Amino acid sequence: MKQSEIKELSTAELQEKLSETKKSYSDLKMAHAISPLENPIQLRAVRRSVARIATELTKREIQ
């Protein structure tokens, strides 16, 4: 997910998206531990999406 897309979402949508993305990341990690993923770069992309969403939420809390 791009930063521009994240900025357009409301805070409630961001919190929902964060929980979905974290679940997706844990599922990918588990699948990768059992058998290697076809595209292990997915892990990095999802982890960075989690970080982007969390950063935007924190930024909104501060303001």
Side-chain angles (χ1 to χ4, degrees), residues 13-22 50 53-54 57:
E13 290 173 326
L14 281 176
Q15 290 172 341
E16 183 180 325
K17 195 73 164 167
L18 181 63
S19 64
E20 290 174 8
T21 311
K22 280 185 175 181
V50 168
I53 294 169
L57 281 171

Side-chain angles (χ1 to χ4, degrees), residues 43-62:
L43 287 170
R44 184 190 320 162
V46 174
R47 188 176 64 239
R48 289 182 178 177
S49 290
V50 168
R52 284 187 186 106
I53 294 169
T55 301
E56 182 65 26
L57 281 171
T58 304
K59 190 167 96 175
R60 290 183 186 189
E61 286 176 8
I62 291 172

Side-chain angles (χ1 to χ4, degrees), residues 32-45:
H32 187 61
I34 295 169
S35 64
L37 291 175
E38 191 172 307
N39 185 8
I41 303 299
Q42 282 178 293
L43 287 170
R44 184 190 320 162

